[in-house]
Amino acid sequence: MSNERIIPYQPTVIAGPKQALLVTPETAELMIKKSKRPLLILGPLVKEEPLLSFASNIAEKWNLPVVTTADAYKPFKDKGLNPTSYGVVEIVNLLNDPEWKGVNGEGQHDLVIFLGCIYYIGSQGLSSLKHYAPHLKTLTICKFFHSNADASFPNMKDEEWFKYLKKMGTSG
Amino acid sequence: MIVVAPEQNSKAKKFKDDFWKSKDIKISIGDIVETKGDTPESDTPMGPTPKPHVTDLRSWDMKLLSRYEPFYAPFCDMCCLCTFGKCDLLDKKGACGIDSKAQQARIVLLACNIGTAAHAGHSRHLIHHLIEELGEDFPIDLGLNIDIEAPLIRTIIGKKPQKLSDLEETMSYVEQQLSHLLSACHTGQEGSYLDFESKALHSGVMDDLAREVGDMAQIVALNMPKGDGDAPLVEMGVGTIDSEKPVVLCIGHNVLPGSNIMDYLDETGQEEDLEVCGICCAAIDISRYNDRAKVVGPLSRQLKFIRSGVADVIIVDEQCIRTDVLEEAQKKNTAVIATTDKMCLGLPDMTDKDPDLIVSKLLNKEIEGALILDSDKVGEVSVKVAKILAPERKKLKLLPELDEVQNMALECTECAWCNRVCPNDKPMMEAVVAAGKGDFSGFEKLYLNDVCYSCGRCEQECERELPLMSMLAKAGERLAKTEKFNIRAGRGPVQDVEIRRVGAPLVLGDIPGVIAIVGCSNYPDGGKEVAEMAKEFLERNYIVVATGCGAMSIGEYTDEEGKTLYERYSGDFESRGLLNIGSCVSNAHISGACIKIANIFAKKPLEGNFEEIADYILNRVGACGVAWGAYSQKAAAIATGVNRWGIPAVVGPHGSKYRRLYLGRADKKENWKIKDMRTGKIMDGEPAPEHLIYAAENMAEATVMTAKLCIRPTDTGKGRQIKLNHYIDLYKKYYGELPPDIHLFVRNEKDIPITYKKDVKEILDNVGWEPREIPQEPSLMGIGDD
Ligand code: SF4
Ligand code: SF4
Ligand code: SF4
């Protein structure tokens, strides 16, 4: 199938005519650069190496505030990040509220980057933000195409995905 | 001092009703029924809302909804319910004017109504049948230790049902409300998401009532355990089924076909000759009726077990049955008998035919299967068919050889579509590829604990049309033989005497909470996690009650000595008690136990007094549901019902697909104001419980959240210490440090657990914590428009 990379990874999460924009690491980086108050959300699927390092490097390189979901907190804390822990539904609920002041109290975020949440609950969270958080954009950098995001990496195998993540996490 | 209840003047009763011994005692219709120490009906003061109509409890709902705002996650952007549509509701309204939030709430209401209708239909069928058999005056008597037989009916309807026909009044009320609630889903009716939610909450409580009717009817009429903590242990697991014998498998939720099979076997002296087993709640309820019936396991077993060919006859009744069961059974020459109007499967109606004629038509394949709506007849026909079919089917009980599985696996093209369509994101392709190399460990991992819950979606997608479920069943066969577990037979309601014993420690917080593990088996990573959660809370002195597939999954875990948790822990409603309450319908006894705490312990009148009771439970009874594998519309109705009673629930990650959660905002102090009914003062409260329905991404998160959701404003200092101690312990276990929100739950220094004193104080200092006043009788009543 030629368009396999941009059919939602779990094909039945398709929700309607609006689909995410397919992005490369370069476009993803551009989105982060343009954003004023980005937030990186890291889920339990990236709490082990080498993904733990890839994700931490991205956070550090772009100086992103980090929220961890489920039990991803400890590994990232041990890795030297200073994450805030929320359930994925809790953080999405806060992001839906235009009045919320963000994890650092500096104002609601304008870009939320997801990495490592369980696909189907992640997809539900993205759907919630798509409907009720017009004040922010969502980007997913998992190895799965997430049609409910504004922008998403395509479906890919580990090898290619690791390259993408490394690229986003190294300077220069 | 926190005032929780007036002095008790009634003494706890000591005797136990030995229903197993009295099992054979026939109660003749027309017997004089002694009315137990209960206020005569005419003297019972009636509260403000007997038989509430859809809108009568709306003000309570709005209080809940302003604290626990609905969080929506649309599963679909579109609506396709009328011919104006499809309408795309993303940033737009539909042609009827509905917006995305209201549409989500509307679908939630629809789901709750479907669930409620399923239970109402089930209960209607039960009481109709039982009244026909036993007469309308058959007494509702749950034995000497249970005076408050029907806490839900008493609270909502406003009176105590005395005989089977009294239950019809409740059913008529439920059905009437349900038609109003369903009508609100029609295009061009309700337009407010909050009102849709209020209706969903009403639907949930109607569901609760319907379940109470169904379970009480079957308990009294079929003499199931009446709140007995020593109910027998029932064999469970594929390995306990002797496939050398003819095997009858019951799938679904309605006990009647199965109980009639057991009766027929007893009456004809064939009880040792056949195996009768069940999947899903039918298994639980048949084994409550007769402990010789065996439990195969939860819903997640269904397709694997059908494919194993072990069953000679499959009896389907209602709810949660694979709708392709006939097609699947035919592949194995298993006979299928449908037994209720809910599921007829296109089969010819043989209800009025002679049993022997049905048997011969089934055996000669003159009919594909039979629809038999008379459950007495089902007993005879199924047993006769199984006995004749079993010897012929011997070969069909064998799965393909392992080398055949390996050869099939070699055909895999590694397209990966099996993985992509797996709702649970499991590595089927990797298992197949490894099997091609003779390594079956991937299949075994999927098989064990139902990590793959055999939904069959992967198989539907496979471009090589590999029979993945049969391959899985074969690879797991060796493991299946070792699956020998047990489950305590569903005990039914909690006894009044038990409530008297634990009421105070529960409300004061000395017993850290009641954890209700309920619901279906759409688990994110197998059933073992459910047993692990149960074990975690049992070891921490919580009371763990369970029903349905959750109760079965708990029994599928054994310790080093080969013992299940049911063998390890007492079945009584006490600290470290593990109670199998029963099936889906028995969930009514869980809200029922909380209601009884308000009534027996705090002397709150029940009749027509919904809001006061729910307010009491929300603020004082530290109970929390865990529906780790909730998948059905019934589960949506059950959860929404318990939420309206003030009991929070945690669901698994798939629960996010219900589209709606009720989430509190701990960061908004104004949301947690309460009124102290003692002083009339409106004061700052605390986020306890913080959420009403919450979806956790994995077990770690669920466990920690469940402990947190047991905190209540009325905990005494000592009780709060105990609860916070568990919350901190668990948080540390999974997150490595103290919970950052701990200060929210420390009212004054007496609340700080001694073991963590230093660490907690450090956090308190960092956030500038100040002690706060403790309400004596915290309440949401009198807040807002009241
Ligand atoms: S019910 Fe409303 S939103 Fe749905 S299809 Fe009809 S007009 Fe559109
Ligand atoms: S049967 Fe269902 S749960 Fe099991 S691997 Fe296939 S798609 Fe996944
Ligand atoms: S769908 Fe079939 S062919 Fe494709 S990877 Fe899975 S088992 Fe192999």
Side-chain angles (χ1 to χ4, degrees):
Chain A
M1 241 177 271
S2 59
N3 57 352
E4 262 185 28
R5 282 163 74 89
I6 52 161
I7 293 175
Y9 176 74
Q10 288 195 341
T12 52
V13 306
I14 202 147
K18 181 169 185 264
Q19 294 294 303
L21 185 75
L22 173 72
V23 293
T24 58
E26 290 75 19
T27 329
E29 289 183 335
L30 214 63
M31 287 178 77
I32 301 176
K33 260 186 221 158
K34 268 177 66 185
S35 126
K36 289 196 184 67
R37 284 181 303 279
L39 174 69
L40 177 62
I41 299 182
L42 299 172
L45 301 183
V46 292
K47 66 182 184 189
E48 277 157 30
E49 291 296 1
L51 288 157
L52 183 65
S53 292
F54 295 157
S56 304
N57 292 343
I58 294 172
E60 276 161 3
K61 173 179 164 190
W62 297 96
N63 194 21
L64 298 170
V66 170
V67 160
T68 52
T69 69
D71 57 348
Y73 178 82
K74 188 172 184 293
F76 282 105
K77 180 84 183 173
D78 293 347
K79 195 81 191 160
L81 298 186
N82 186 25
T84 310
S85 175
Y86 282 111
V88 63
V89 299
E90 281 177 316
I91 183 63
V92 169
N93 193 32
L94 293 169
L95 290 166
N96 274 336
D97 176 1
E99 307 297 319
W100 188 55
K101 292 284 174 273
V103 274
N104 295 331
E106 291 163 356
Q108 181 58 286
H109 301 279
D110 59 352
L111 174 70
V112 187
I113 307 141
F114 283 85
L115 173 60
C117 290
I118 290 177
Y119 187 81
Y120 48 90
I121 194 171
S123 176
Q124 286 301 94
L126 288 163
S127 165
S128 189
L129 294 170
K130 178 172 81 174
H131 278 259
Y132 310 116
H135 46 273
L136 54 78
K137 292 262 174 279
T138 58
L139 162 69
T140 63
I141 55 172
C142 289
K143 62 171 171 178
F144 307 124
F145 188 68
H146 262 294
S147 52
N148 279 320
D150 287 308
S152 170
F153 277 180
N155 298 312
M156 47 190 158
K157 298 225 164 75
D158 279 352
E159 203 190 354
E160 188 182 5
W161 183 38
F162 289 0
K163 269 192 211 146
Y164 274 35
L165 294 179
K166 268 193 226 161
K167 198 160 196 192
M168 285 187 70
T170 35
S171 337
Chain B
M1 194 188 79
I2 297 169
V3 182
V4 281
E7 281 291 297
Q8 297 292 306
N9 40 27
S10 48
K11 283 242 169 65
K13 290 175 189 161
K14 289 223 173 63
F15 32 73
K16 245 188 181 175
D17 175 29
D18 194 346
F19 50 86
W20 290 106
K21 280 190 201 133
S22 65
K23 203 165 158 54
D24 294 322
I25 295 175
K26 294 262 178 324
I27 302 168
S28 59
I29 296 153
D31 269 1
I32 295 164
V33 188
E34 190 195 343
T35 317
K36 291 177 292 182
D38 179 63
T39 349
E41 238 168 64
S42 53
D43 292 354
T44 312
M46 188 57 75
T49 53
K51 290 197 178 176
H53 185 62
V54 175
T55 47
D56 289 347
L57 299 172
R58 190 168 172 255
S59 73
W60 169 251
D61 298 336
M62 293 306 166
K63 277 175 212 153
L64 285 181
L65 294 167
S66 67
R67 205 195 231 197
Y68 305 101
E69 287 172 48
F71 162 88
Y72 294 113
F75 207 20
C76 182
D77 297 345
M78 320 267 266
C79 173
C80 55
L81 282 176
C82 84
T83 66
F84 280 147
K86 297 179 182 175
C87 295
D88 179 3
L89 302 177
L90 180 63
D91 305 326
K92 293 176 274 288
K93 291 193 275 189
C96 62
I98 203 163
D99 69 8
S100 164
K101 274 192 179 179
Q103 173 69 4
Q104 305 317 307
R106 179 187 183 198
I107 300 292
V108 171
L109 172 60
L110 194 56
C112 289
N113 288 342
I114 295 172
T116 302
H119 285 134
H122 177 185
S123 297
R124 233 330 157 189
H125 177 230
L126 281 174
I127 53 171
H128 178 81
H129 176 87
L130 296 170
I131 287 176
E132 226 173 57
E133 294 250 305
L134 303 164
E136 50 183 35
D137 293 330
F138 190 86
I140 292 175
D141 182 357
L142 289 177
L144 296 168
N145 286 333
I146 298 174
D147 280 350
I148 303 168
E149 282 96 346
L152 291 144
I153 296 176
R154 285 187 184 211
T155 311
I156 305 282
I157 303 294
K159 55 182 166 191
K160 166 187 165 166
Q162 315 261 10
K163 47 190 182 1
L164 277 182
S165 60
D166 291 348
L167 297 174
E168 289 194 298
E169 182 186 350
T170 303
M171 285 317 303
S172 301
Y173 162 73
V174 167
E175 288 153 357
Q176 183 205 65
Q177 294 302 302
L178 191 55
S179 69
H180 291 298
L181 292 166
L182 188 54
S183 126
C185 299
H186 191 278
T187 303
Q189 301 260 42
E190 191 53 78
S192 144
Y193 72 93
L194 287 174
D195 270 306
F196 270 124
E197 292 296 349
S198 167
K199 291 178 172 70
L201 290 161
H202 194 58
S203 183
V205 167
M206 293 308 107
D207 180 67
D208 228 345
L209 273 179
R211 280 181 274 113
E212 187 175 66
V213 166
D215 208 38
M216 285 216 315
Q218 62 181 6
I219 290 174
V220 297
L222 301 178
N223 206 10
M224 291 176 175
K226 299 182 177 74
D228 180 21
D230 290 326
L233 290 169
V234 174
E235 285 185 89
M236 179 169 74
V238 177
T240 65
I241 293 156
D242 180 359
S243 56
E244 294 294 313
K245 290 183 184 173
V247 178
V248 180
L249 167 69
C250 300
I251 313 177
H253 289 75
N254 195 318
V255 69
L256 294 173
S259 62
N260 277 295
I261 298 171
M262 301 309 285
D263 286 350
Y264 181 78
L265 288 174
D266 280 349
E267 283 157 17
T268 53
Q270 304 184 77
E271 56 270 33
E272 298 300 326
D273 303 348
L274 256 92
E275 289 278 51
V276 179
C277 56
I279 286 180
C280 209
C281 285
I284 292 204
D285 282 343
I286 302 166
S287 61
R288 289 164 89 189
Y289 178 68
N290 186 322
D291 59 357
R292 265 197 339 274
K294 288 176 182 170
V295 178
V296 175
L299 194 58
S300 40
R301 287 288 149 95
Q302 199 172 180
L303 191 51
K304 278 191 284 195
F305 191 69
I306 298 174
R307 286 277 177 95
S308 76
V310 167
D312 296 300
V313 177
I314 295 178
I315 309 294
V316 295
D317 53 80
E318 55 184 298
Q319 306 155 34
C320 304
I321 303 155
R322 281 195 73 92
T323 49
D324 60 354
V325 60
L326 185 61
E327 185 190 328
E328 285 294 339
Q330 279 169 345
K331 288 184 199 158
K332 285 279 177 182
N333 190 24
T334 301
V336 171
I337 300 174
T339 59
T340 71
D341 57 350
K342 313 299 179 302
M343 186 184 225
C344 302
L345 296 170
L347 296 172
D349 187 351
M350 307 300 283
T351 312
D352 297 327
K353 301 280 185 297
D354 176 67
D356 288 321
L357 179 76
I358 311 175
V359 172
S360 90
K361 281 190 182 284
L362 275 169
L363 291 171
N364 297 330
K365 304 275 174 302
E366 283 173 50
I367 48 177
E368 279 194 302
L371 173 65
I372 307 178
L373 297 168
D374 170 356
S375 43
D376 293 340
K377 212 170 264 182
V378 172
E380 180 177 349
V381 173
S382 59
V383 169
K384 286 184 169 167
V385 171
K387 279 177 65 185
I388 301 173
L389 259 187
E392 302 175 10
R393 287 188 68 261
K394 274 235 150 75
K395 274 207 188 120
L396 290 161
K397 296 196 183 195
L398 303 173
L399 287 157
E401 288 303 319
L402 267 181
D403 48 4
E404 268 181 76
V405 173
Q406 184 174 351
N407 286 339
M408 287 182 208
L410 283 171
E411 291 194 26
C412 168
T413 59
E414 299 188 37
C415 72
W417 274 93
C418 47
N419 289 4
R420 287 183 64 173
V421 298
C422 174
N424 220 11
D425 234 343
K426 294 300 168 214
M428 179 52 90
M429 179 182 80
E430 288 75 2
V432 175
V433 172
K437 296 175 187 147
D439 169 6
F440 297 96
S441 60
F443 268 129
E444 289 184 356
K445 270 193 206 134
L446 289 175
Y447 185 92
L448 265 184
N449 300 302
D450 298 346
V451 165
C452 154
Y453 41 54
S454 70
C455 71
R457 250 164 74 168
C458 49
E459 197 181 87
Q460 291 292 312
E461 199 71 23
C462 179
E463 57 184 17
R464 305 312 304 254
E465 294 183 13
L466 294 177
L468 297 171
M469 288 302 92
S470 307
M471 292 160 74
L472 177 83
K474 179 65 193 177
E477 204 174 33
R478 185 182 57 82
L479 302 168
K481 294 218 170 81
T482 64
E483 286 177 335
K484 293 183 181 169
F485 309 109
N486 58 41
I487 178 172
R488 196 170 292 289
R491 57 164 275 166
V494 174
Q495 296 176 14
D496 300 9
V497 59
E498 292 173 302
I499 300 281
R500 284 195 186 96
R501 261 187 243 126
V502 301
L506 257 177
V507 173
L508 302 173
D510 292 353
I511 295 179
V514 180
I515 311 297
I517 297 186
V518 302
C520 346
S521 52
N522 191 6
Y523 304 131
D525 206 17
K528 193 167 175 214
E529 290 189 335
V530 176
E532 282 170 0
M533 283 191 264
K535 184 164 170 268
E536 180 81 68
F537 286 109
L538 285 164
E539 282 170 358
R540 293 177 178 278
N541 301 333
Y542 289 74
I543 303 174
V544 177
V545 298
T547 57
C549 288
M552 298 186 220
S553 299
I554 290 173
E556 289 181 326
Y557 164 88
T558 48
D559 61 15
E560 315 74 49
E561 291 170 38
K563 286 199 167 149
T564 67
L565 293 172
Y566 290 108
E567 289 169 283
R568 278 254 171 260
Y569 292 93
S570 112
D572 293 327
F573 193 71
E574 61 189 12
S575 177
R576 294 169 84 86
L578 170 61
L579 296 73
N580 173 16
I581 299 284
S583 57
C584 287
V585 283
S586 315
N587 277 308
H589 309 309
I590 299 177
S591 357
C594 297
I595 298 167
K596 282 193 193 189
I597 292 174
N599 177 250
I600 299 177
F601 176 64
K603 295 270 183 266
K604 298 273 178 205
L606 297 182
E607 284 70 14
N609 200 23
F610 177 86
E611 184 167 346
E612 197 184 353
I613 299 294
D615 186 60
Y616 184 91
I617 296 173
L618 176 71
N619 285 295
R620 298 171 193 232
V621 182
C624 180
V626 180
W628 195 232
Y631 94 102
S632 65
Q633 297 92 30
K634 291 192 303 159
I638 295 170
T640 308
V642 300
N643 282 170
R644 203 192 208 189
W645 288 107
I647 306 166
V650 175
V651 291
H654 289 291
S656 62
K657 300 178 199 167
Y658 280 122
R659 303 168 175 80
R660 183 270 283 137
L661 301 167
Y662 293 141
L663 301 180
R665 284 282 298 268
D667 60 322
K668 286 185 172 175
K669 214 172 158 190
E670 65 280 9
N671 286 9
W672 304 97
K673 292 259 184 238
I674 44 111
K675 182 171 183 173
D676 187 344
M677 297 305 258
R678 272 288 145 132
T679 59
K681 216 163 99 181
I682 306 277
M683 23 192 320
D684 283 341
E686 54 190 340
E690 185 171 341
H691 305 294
L692 263 194
I693 182 149
Y694 181 88
E697 198 174 354
N698 66 12
M699 182 186 74
E701 182 186 346
T703 308
V704 175
M705 181 55 78
T706 303
K708 178 155 87 166
L709 292 182
C710 287
I711 301 171
R712 291 295 176 280
T714 45
D715 301 333
T716 58
K718 184 171 149 237
R720 180 62 60 93
Q721 277 193 34
I722 294 172
K723 290 187 183 186
L724 291 186
N725 200 54
H726 293 303
Y727 174 44
I728 296 174
D729 259 9
L730 287 166
Y731 199 94
K732 276 193 80 167
K733 174 170 172 182
Y734 293 112
Y735 297 79
E737 56 185 49
L738 262 70
D741 60 355
I742 193 75
H743 58 282
L744 297 175
F745 305 103
V746 179
R747 299 160 302 180
N748 58 42
E749 298 222 356
K750 286 191 194 133
D751 288 349
I752 307 175
I754 300 169
T755 2
Y756 293 112
K757 195 141 211 158
K758 206 176 124 259
D759 299 334
V760 172
K761 279 202 155 175
E762 214 178 287
I763 294 183
L764 297 184
D765 287 345
N766 287 342
V767 299
W769 169 88
E770 304 252 358
R772 37 188 178 82
E773 211 184 325
I774 301 179
Q776 297 177 55
E777 283 189 63
S779 170
L780 285 192
M781 292 168 81
I783 292 230
D785 296 338
D786 286 2

